[in-house]
Amino acid sequence: MSYYKILNLEHYFKMYKKSVREPRKFWDKIAEENFTWYQKWEKVFEFNFSEASFKWFVDAKVNITKNCIDRHLARRGDKTAIIFEPNNPDEEALHISYNELYDRVARMANVLREQGIQKGDRVCIYLPMIPELAVATLACARIGAVHSVVFAGFSASAVAARINDCECKMVITSDGSYRGNKSIDLKGIVDEALEKTPCVEKVLVVKRTNTEVTMKDGRDFWLQPLLDAAIPNNVAEVMDAEDPLFILYTSGSTGKPKGMVHTTAGYMVYTAYTFKNVFAYEENDIFWCTADIGWITGHSYILYGPLLNGATTVIFEGVPSYPDFSRFWEVIEKHKITQFYTAPTAIRSLAKESLDYVQRFPLKSLKVIGSVGEPINEEAWHWYNDHVGGKRCPLVDTWWQTETGGIMISPVPFVTPTKPTYASLPLPGIQPVLMDELRNEIEGNQVTGSLCIKFPWPSIARTIWGDHQRYKETYFTAFPGKYFTGDGALRDEVGYYRITGRVDDVIIVSGHNLGTAPIEDAINEHPAIAESAIVGFPHDVKGNALYGFVILKEIGETRNQDNLAIEINQIISNQIGPIAKLDKIQFVSNLPKTRSGKIMRRILRKIAEGDFSNFGDTSTLLNPEIVDEIKNGRV
Ligand code: PRX
């Protein structure tokens, strides 16, 4: 019987039950039959929730890139591994075969070694969506260096903070990047970041935009000549199952980003398994995920998941609106994409434009369409399902997180009937539960609660880099013995899950997680500002937008508030990145605070949403009179 591929609904239920009753046997079979190992495991897993300790495929030895590349060469050497679709549609797309990918990754791996990178060293990759991003990432994994890919939209300070947190020895970047009709000076941003990062010894620079850049002697090197001189062969490093594969930063409820650590074997097994099933992947499919490799979606479903299955995966450098709003649909048609995976915010922004943009293309190659990153609202779901999926392609609404490594709750196409706005059922191996405020598990259906997972799965993040205590506190203390996701969810009458959104201080704006604390910290650095509070409010395209309530130091500050608002957004842009800018800023004389000094955000959220109907219990407020003032001054 097939364990790797879910065949139909009955088989799904059978596999699900098996994964719960006999998790060791279930994962043992999948890991044994579908990967190449240097050495098998002693135990499938061991864990301890109270210590937040998880180990999978204990003592196994493996290299993920051997599984992504080498083992396909005999049968699929000439098959396209990566299609690179450039920002400008007039530039030719590139098809990189598995043989060529091997050559490129081997050379890059050798360059990294020659430049002093060893197993366990951290390498920061700050690149646009070009093939070198995939190659550099895989080359790190090849030699056992831990990659820390930083999304190339982050500012210099954000890059510096991430580099310093995990003490990267090297940065791999490019002269610049293209995004629509703009180009961005990436090397300049890196130079600025590196003023504050003593740990970085070398910088390798890819030429992409031919922008003039400053190269620091002895530190900065153009990559291409090094690659040309390198040997196109490389023996993959033997990695322990639990050796770290990568660090990926995500926002949290304090100012410091959390470096989520993923390890090798469990991540490999789980991303491969979920890619195969959630996208109903078959040998000749052409898979396109529009995320950036700088986010977990790109790590797991542009790179690792597809390559582990020997698939053809697309790297798209551009944006959905350039040269016009038909760009996505044109690319689907051009490359005959079979699975298309994107975010609700992109769907909402394209659904606002003329239908003609999408209707011009038959999109007959599509088989499965997917959504990820935030709740997909009913209207966007139907637009996507009807106009892109032609009501014939299953729409998989996939719920998961940076911390989970892979997709957790999702329909399996052609197996699980879809229901608008529902992520539907957990994948085999995943045991979700809803918890009430008293930390009791809520049984039965048609209920809502805090979403937790009560049994480990192979790709659960293992720790926060350098701060295991924070990892424990963030995910394992609110509901002892369980992993707390930070999301709220509802379970319908048949057991389908619908994710309702974050229940903590993280706001998802255009699919990007933004912690309120880092934004508030940035604003509070402005010399005229005493304090601030950020909340989210619903936005047609972004899902949520940010509303800032700001207290000035000097009551009656005479400076123009419009100018101050511009300065506030400038600081946020510099400290975090343009994605975190505020849509609305209201200057207030105070914030609603409890007697213990906590800001009552619930009230601010209601005001930002324009819902003045019921502020709930305000009796614990120290300054209840402030509520009216803020309400009347809403912008
Ligand atoms: O709130 C959930 C939301 O995105 C959060 C995770 O964000 P991140 O770590 O950036 O990973 C995004 C890509 C996996 C979750 O806690 N989220 C993700 N997918 C969905 C979702 N909310 C609703 N429906 C989804 N399908």
Side-chain angles (χ1 to χ4, degrees):
M1 192 189 9
S2 156
Y3 272 64
Y4 193 58
K5 182 179 169 187
I6 301 168
L7 304 170
N8 51 43
L9 199 56
E10 195 192 343
H11 186 233
Y12 160 79
F13 283 120
K14 199 168 174 171
M15 283 295 119
Y16 188 79
K17 269 193 205 128
K18 196 169 273 296
S19 76
V20 172
R21 289 187 189 149
E22 299 173 274
R24 286 180 203 280
K25 178 165 176 211
F26 178 79
W27 290 113
D28 185 88
K29 285 273 275 187
I30 288 177
E32 166 92 42
E33 288 170 9
N34 298 284
F35 304 89
T36 305
W37 302 89
Y38 293 119
Q39 181 186 301
K40 296 277 161 65
W41 43 96
E42 294 293 324
K43 264 194 205 165
V44 177
F45 54 77
E46 61 190 30
F47 67 90
N48 178 336
F49 265 114
S50 56
E51 289 306 311
S53 158
F54 306 96
K55 287 185 179 166
W56 280 80
F57 308 108
V58 182
D59 289 339
K61 306 281 180 233
V62 68
N63 186 293
I64 195 168
T65 71
K66 260 188 97 85
N67 283 279
C68 286
I69 309 172
D70 307 38
R71 95 186 141 115
H72 303 309
L73 296 182
R75 274 207 304 136
R76 304 189 182 97
D78 291 328
K79 178 177 173 175
T80 300
I82 292 175
I83 297 177
F84 169 57
E85 175 62 34
N87 175 62
N88 180 348
D90 295 334
E91 192 183 324
E92 220 175 298
L94 206 64
H95 287 72
I96 301 171
S97 68
Y98 273 92
N99 280 330
E100 284 170 58
L101 185 62
Y102 175 85
D103 179 299
R104 285 185 180 224
V105 170
R107 284 176 193 267
M108 184 75 206
N110 292 330
V111 167
L112 292 179
R113 282 219 176 102
E114 280 158 24
Q115 296 300 320
I117 299 299
Q118 292 170 359
K119 182 174 175 175
D121 287 344
R122 276 80 58 206
V123 173
C124 170
I125 302 178
Y126 185 68
L127 279 171
M129 282 284 284
I130 54 177
E132 287 81 357
L133 171 51
V135 170
T137 307
L138 293 165
C140 286
R142 184 105 186 149
I143 65 166
V146 182
H147 55 77
S148 168
V149 182
V150 176
F151 171 59
F154 274 116
S155 68
S157 338
V159 178
R162 285 157 178 74
I163 289 175
N164 285 333
D165 183 70
C166 65
E167 295 171 289
C168 295
K169 248 170 111 173
M170 175 185 273
V171 178
I172 305 176
T173 189
S174 65
D175 51 354
S177 73
Y178 295 123
R179 268 187 89 70
N181 51 20
K182 282 191 281 196
S183 73
I184 300 157
D185 171 21
L186 284 196
K187 178 65 166 59
I189 297 174
V190 168
D191 288 341
E192 196 188 326
L194 295 199
E195 285 168 17
K196 292 171 253 163
T197 57
C199 47
V200 174
E201 293 167 13
K202 298 237 166 110
V203 180
L204 304 184
V205 188
V206 177
K207 218 175 224 172
R208 174 60 185 144
T209 53
N210 286 312
T211 319
E212 232 176 274
V213 299
T214 325
M215 297 290 277
K216 189 170 168 186
D217 245 9
R219 184 193 75 181
D220 302 350
F221 301 86
W222 289 107
L223 180 60
Q224 197 56 49
L226 300 177
L227 289 173
D228 291 341
I231 299 165
N233 264 311
N234 176 279
V235 179
E237 186 77 38
V238 177
M239 304 298 289
D240 186 84
E242 285 300 334
D243 277 339
L245 174 64
F246 65 86
I247 300 168
L248 192 56
Y249 286 88
T250 185
S251 303
S253 48
T254 75
K256 206 167 175 256
K258 294 179 289 193
M260 303 312 308
V261 177
H262 281 283
T263 58
T264 305
Y267 177 82
M268 173 182 84
V269 169
Y270 195 72
T271 53
Y273 173 72
T274 50
F275 175 77
K276 169 77 184 164
N277 287 296
V278 172
F279 300 105
Y281 172 72
E282 295 297 336
E283 181 65 35
N284 293 316
D285 290 346
I286 314 266
F287 179 82
W288 182 21
C289 164
T290 69
D292 193 288
I293 293 177
W295 308 114
I296 191 70
T297 309
H299 277 57
S300 301
Y301 300 108
I302 295 177
L303 278 189
Y304 289 113
L307 296 178
L308 286 164
N309 282 280
T312 300
T313 181
V314 175
I315 293 184
F316 174 56
E317 184 184 28
V319 293
S321 54
Y322 175 82
D324 67 30
F325 297 104
S326 64
R327 184 69 163 129
F328 273 2
W329 325 127
E330 180 242 339
V331 173
I332 292 176
E333 209 58 60
K334 175 175 173 186
H335 296 297
K336 299 282 173 263
I337 302 296
T338 44
Q339 289 95 343
F340 177 67
Y341 190 32
T342 196
T345 183
I347 296 301
R348 286 190 297 263
S349 74
L350 294 170
K352 267 196 345 190
E353 305 300 330
S354 161
L355 253 189
D356 181 57
Y357 285 117
V358 58
Q359 284 181 339
R360 252 185 283 156
F361 301 92
L363 307 179
K364 284 281 181 284
S365 58
L366 285 177
K367 216 166 72 167
V368 176
I369 56 175
S371 168
V372 59
E374 56 184 312
I376 181 164
N377 50 306
E378 187 118 17
E379 220 179 332
W381 195 96
H382 284 293
W383 190 91
Y384 192 24
N385 187 60
D386 296 0
H387 299 298
V388 181
K391 296 187 183 164
R392 104 195 129 69
C393 305
L395 193 175
V396 292
D397 177 0
T398 64
W399 174 82
W400 59 297
Q401 311 178 295
T402 304
E403 295 85 341
T404 69
I407 297 168
M408 304 284 281
I409 304 183
S410 168
V412 175
F414 313 107
V415 170
T416 323
T418 61
K419 174 173 176 180
T421 77
Y422 280 76
S424 83
L425 298 174
L427 293 174
I430 305 307
Q431 301 186 34
V433 284
L434 297 180
M435 306 296 289
D436 67 17
E437 278 162 13
L438 300 171
R439 301 172 161 187
N440 296 317
E441 191 175 328
I442 309 171
E443 308 274 350
N445 288 341
Q446 285 190 296
V447 290
T448 56
S450 294
L451 180 64
C452 290
I453 314 288
K454 71 172 176 193
F455 197 82
W457 62 101
S459 64
I460 183 173
R462 302 299 197 259
T463 191
I464 290 173
W465 184 267
D467 199 348
H468 195 68
Q469 190 56 29
R470 186 177 179 197
Y471 175 68
K472 255 187 356 198
E473 280 163 15
T474 310
Y475 303 103
F476 302 96
T477 46
F479 300 96
K482 299 185 175 63
Y483 166 81
F484 175 44
T485 65
D487 282 327
L490 98 91
R491 190 162 55 219
D492 78 356
E493 61 288 353
V494 297
Y496 270 32
Y497 287 88
R498 175 188 189 169
I499 312 305
T500 47
R502 303 288 310 186
V503 294
D504 57 6
D505 286 340
V506 172
I507 304 169
I508 303 192
V509 178
S510 299
H512 301 306
N513 279 11
L514 298 171
T516 52
I519 304 174
E520 289 162 5
D521 290 352
I523 299 175
N524 298 350
E525 279 185 24
H526 190 291
I529 289 165
E531 199 181 350
S532 59
I534 305 295
V535 296
F537 68 99
H539 185 281
D540 281 354
V541 172
K542 302 179 188 181
N544 297 296
L546 301 178
Y547 193 123
F549 297 90
V550 176
I551 307 178
L552 296 172
K553 273 189 187 151
E554 307 260 331
I555 310 280
E557 159 81 49
T558 48
R559 269 203 285 173
N560 181 319
Q561 296 197 334
D562 290 343
N563 287 345
L564 273 176
I566 293 170
E567 288 170 25
I568 288 173
N569 269 330
Q570 194 54 48
I571 292 193
I572 296 174
S573 243
N574 293 345
Q575 299 272 330
I576 300 162
I579 47 176
K581 282 199 215 168
L582 309 183
D583 270 38
K584 293 188 179 179
I585 298 178
Q586 180 180 350
F587 294 96
V588 295
S589 68
N590 209 339
L591 294 164
K593 287 192 180 154
T594 62
R595 280 164 215 286
S596 57
K598 254 185 107 172
I599 300 170
M600 209 182 258
R601 285 170 194 272
R602 172 167 60 78
I603 293 177
L604 296 177
R605 249 179 248 129
K606 286 218 144 198
I607 294 176
E609 285 167 15
D611 172 5
F612 302 156
S613 57
N614 175 13
F615 289 123
D617 180 12
T618 52
S619 63
T620 54
L621 279 184
L622 194 63
N623 52 352
E625 69 289 349
I626 199 69
V627 176
D628 269 342
E629 181 203 308
I630 301 181
K631 196 171 91 182
N632 295 334
R634 178 174 177 267
V635 290

